[in-house]
Amino acid sequence: DKGLVEVHVHDLRAYSTHKQKQTDDYAFGGGAGMVMMIQPIDDCITKLKSERTYDAVLYMTPDGENFSQKMANN
């Protein structure tokens, strides 16, 4: 309400070079889960940085605590 933060969402599929606009890759090394391809992410960030200057770019990682219902309630 105070206008302190702006959130913009970008479709990474628009930056994919694959025929099916794929953005996920195989989980190399075993284990469950999805691995994002770096190419669409890098292309998107490169394009956005060419349009303006950012104070920071935040990269989200799977490191850390699992998101649970209890955490969501807090």
Side-chain angles (χ1 to χ4, degrees):
D1 290 339
K2 294 180 182 180
L4 300 175
V5 175
E6 287 184 30
V7 176
H8 299 268
V9 178
H10 301 278
D11 181 8
L12 293 177
R13 290 182 184 272
Y15 299 92
S16 176
T17 58
H18 287 259
K19 180 180 177 183
Q20 302 298 327
K21 299 299 183 187
Q22 176 181 343
T23 59
D24 60 320
D25 207 347
Y26 298 101
F28 300 100
M34 186 173 85
V35 177
M36 297 298 295
M37 294 175 148
I38 191 63
Q39 175 270 315
I41 296 169
D42 182 58
D43 288 352
C44 179
I45 291 172
T46 300
K47 179 182 181 294
L48 294 173
K49 282 183 168 181
S50 74
E51 296 173 354
R52 64 170 276 214
T53 302
Y54 291 87
D55 294 330
V57 177
L58 305 178
Y59 297 92
M60 307 304 280
T61 70
D63 297 341
E65 194 174 335
N66 285 338
F67 189 68
S68 64
Q69 186 62 49
K70 182 179 177 183
M71 186 185 298
N73 292 342
N74 287 336

